[in-house]
Amino acid sequence: MIKTGNSIAEGKYMHMRCAAHIINLIVTDGLKELDESVKRVRAAVRYIRNGPSRITRFKELARLEKVDGEAFLSLDVCTRWNSTYLMLATAINFEKVFARYEEEDPLYTLDLTSEKAPGIPVDSDWENATKMAEFLGQFYHLTLSVSATLHVTVNQFVMDIAEINVVLEEWADSDDILRKTMAKKMQDKYDKYWGRWNEEVENERGKGKGKKKEEENVNMFVFAATVLDPRFKLSNFTKLAIEEMYGELNGGKAWEAVKTFMHALFEEYKAKYAPSDASKHVRAPQSELTQKREGRKLVSRINKKLRVGDGEASMSKSEYEKYLHEENEVNRDDFDILKWWKNNAARFPILARMARDVLAVPVSTVAS
């Protein structure tokens, strides 16, 4: 592909790690800290759902306790943390109902306290479940975002990664021991895949401390997509988001690398798709009226003055520079990036080509 000129950036960025998979690894590490509490809540939910008469009685008790949950109890699939989140999020709303059900059904206690059973969920288990549901909720919505199929996902991805880091740092600084321990485990996994800049990885390789893993670096096209989002571009907002990902020192290196990469990428597309010099000078036939107007002395003199000073500098700006210097679009949730590039393709033809390629990159492959 390189020899035929059909590869962008010499094929260095062909591999994109699945974001949903990495989120799964991060969250699974955190869940280990609450394994016992999750098992108890799961056992309680399974017992209730294991018979129509139990479900009917449980719903009656929920009405008596005036618990009006929009969703009823759902049992999770142990290997899918997102289903565990949904199970916990609904179960914690029925905490009082479970306590009442324990008093009404002696088999409930016998079943959950048998030899291989995890036990009945107690107050500390419900407290842990509440914390976990709160924490997992952010990762759940993030997973939905990165695995969407009907809109672009790559342009928002840098902000999503930075968001995860902020959440983990807040939990790491918490006075709550459980939150702190969970955050530490998850932060280690986050750093392994997203929180280290490639120079840091290179140094470790040089010391022989790790295997050569290209996938440990974030694909540069993720940053390119952010720059090609007219809400972010190369703004201070984008710079600070990158610093949130890597820290101030490595964030500065990453920021310079992103600017260098974007300039090189634009020059590559410009060489491929910019109109030739010959085509620039070909003019369409002019009407007699237009020819007369251009022949006027006033127009000629003013045009000559415009070509000096600031006017000349403005005319020498590249398409990429003009795009960056324009005011950013308002950051709205309903912003349609594809529509924006379609409407502005005539003004930025080379960048529109870049956007069409870069924004097509999915950040996740999720099993149906």
Side-chain angles (χ1 to χ4, degrees), residues 266-326:
F266 174 74
E267 290 301 321
E268 185 172 347
Y269 270 82
K270 184 179 174 183
K272 282 177 180 288
Y273 300 114
S276 63
D277 290 337
S279 64
K280 289 180 185 176
H281 298 298
V282 174
R283 289 190 173 187
Q286 296 173 313
S287 67
E288 187 179 340
L289 180 62
T290 308
Q291 287 174 348
K292 283 181 180 178
R293 283 182 177 172
E294 285 192 353
R296 290 178 181 173
K297 300 290 183 185
L298 175 65
V299 174
S300 178
R301 181 174 292 183
I302 291 174
N303 282 339
K304 196 177 290 183
K305 288 181 178 180
L306 286 173
R307 280 193 288 271
V308 298
D310 294 336
E312 191 173 4
S314 177
M315 290 173 70
S316 66
K317 280 182 182 177
S318 70
E319 181 182 310
Y320 177 55
E321 290 170 320
K322 289 175 184 176
Y323 165 74
L324 293 178
H325 279 84
E326 282 191 3

Side-chain angles (χ1 to χ4, degrees), residues 1-15 221 261 264-265 267-269 271-273 357:
M1 289 176 69
I2 295 170
K3 285 179 180 177
T4 56
N6 291 318
S7 180
I8 301 299
E10 297 182 340
K12 291 178 183 175
Y13 307 102
M14 296 288 280
H15 185 219
F221 276 97
F261 174 75
L265 189 63
E267 290 301 321
E268 185 172 347
Y269 270 82
K272 282 177 180 288
Y273 300 114
D357 290 345

Side-chain angles (χ1 to χ4, degrees), residues 35-61:
D35 198 38
E36 201 59 37
S37 294
V38 172
K39 281 180 180 177
R40 286 174 182 163
V41 173
R42 182 184 293 126
V45 172
R46 182 183 288 114
Y47 180 87
I48 299 298
R49 289 183 58 87
N50 201 22
S53 59
R54 294 173 184 175
I55 292 173
T56 302
R57 184 57 186 152
F58 191 86
K59 287 181 176 179
E60 288 173 0
L61 293 175

Side-chain angles (χ1 to χ4, degrees), residues 3-238:
K3 285 179 180 177
T4 56
N6 291 318
S7 180
I8 301 299
E10 297 182 340
K12 291 178 183 175
Y13 307 102
M14 296 288 280
H15 185 219
M16 178 75 76
R17 293 199 72 117
C18 173
H21 175 64
I22 296 173
I23 292 171
N24 184 56
L25 294 174
I26 293 171
V27 172
T28 303
D29 270 23
L31 275 170
K32 288 173 184 173
E33 287 300 313
L34 287 177
D35 198 38
E36 201 59 37
S37 294
V38 172
K39 281 180 180 177
R40 286 174 182 163
V41 173
R42 182 184 293 126
V45 172
R46 182 183 288 114
Y47 180 87
I48 299 298
R49 289 183 58 87
N50 201 22
S53 59
R54 294 173 184 175
I55 292 173
T56 302
R57 184 57 186 152
F58 191 86
K59 287 181 176 179
E60 288 173 0
L61 293 175
R63 281 194 292 272
L64 290 173
E65 290 290 338
K66 297 180 181 179
V67 176
D68 185 23
E70 291 182 7
F72 191 61
L73 300 176
S74 62
L75 190 61
D76 70 332
V77 179
C78 301
T79 54
R80 293 187 178 274
W81 70 265
N82 52 325
S83 67
T84 302
Y85 158 70
L86 294 172
M87 178 188 74
L88 295 175
T90 53
I92 57 178
N93 293 325
F94 295 96
E95 180 184 349
K96 291 190 295 183
V97 186
F98 276 107
R100 179 104 178 236
Y101 192 90
E102 184 184 345
E103 297 169 3
E104 301 240 348
D105 185 355
L107 289 176
Y108 174 80
T109 305
L110 288 172
D111 189 87
L112 267 64
T113 55
S114 60
E115 188 178 344
K116 293 185 179 180
I120 296 169
V122 295
D123 289 346
S124 60
D125 294 317
W126 289 114
E127 187 181 339
N128 289 340
T130 302
K131 291 174 185 176
M132 178 56 80
E134 173 203 338
F135 196 42
L136 290 184
Q138 301 181 66
F139 289 89
Y140 176 75
H141 294 298
L142 177 60
T143 301
L144 294 181
S145 172
V146 300
S147 58
T149 56
L150 298 179
H151 61 79
V152 178
T153 54
V154 68
N155 62 309
Q156 191 70 35
F157 191 49
V158 168
M159 304 304 164
D160 289 339
I161 298 174
E163 177 75 18
I164 290 177
N165 194 49
V166 170
V167 171
L168 292 176
E169 284 182 353
E170 284 183 357
W171 273 54
D173 292 337
S174 170
D175 294 330
D176 187 281
I177 296 172
L178 175 66
R179 284 188 171 98
K180 191 183 285 287
T181 309
M182 277 176 57
K184 175 67 174 68
K185 281 197 169 188
M186 296 169 86
Q187 187 76 52
D188 290 342
K189 191 70 77 174
Y190 171 91
D191 288 342
K192 179 179 177 182
Y193 293 104
W194 287 331
R196 304 158 72 190
W197 184 239
N198 53 4
E199 285 189 13
E200 196 175 338
V201 177
E202 288 290 346
N203 290 338
E204 290 193 7
R205 286 182 197 148
K207 294 173 185 175
K209 288 185 179 178
K211 295 179 182 178
K212 187 175 181 180
K213 291 185 178 179
E214 291 294 338
E215 63 267 26
E216 286 184 347
N217 301 335
V218 176
N219 192 312
M220 288 300 289
F221 276 97
V222 165
F223 299 104
T226 304
V227 177
L228 289 170
D229 189 324
R231 296 171 298 173
F232 304 129
K233 302 184 184 178
L234 285 176
S235 62
N236 283 331
F237 187 90
T238 307

Side-chain angles (χ1 to χ4, degrees), residues 230-260:
R231 296 171 298 173
F232 304 129
K233 302 184 184 178
L234 285 176
S235 62
N236 283 331
F237 187 90
T238 307
K239 182 181 180 182
L240 291 171
I242 291 174
E243 287 180 359
E244 284 292 341
M245 287 171 63
Y246 298 115
E248 197 168 337
L249 178 61
N250 284 322
K253 294 177 184 177
W255 177 246
E256 292 304 318
V258 169
K259 291 196 291 184
T260 303

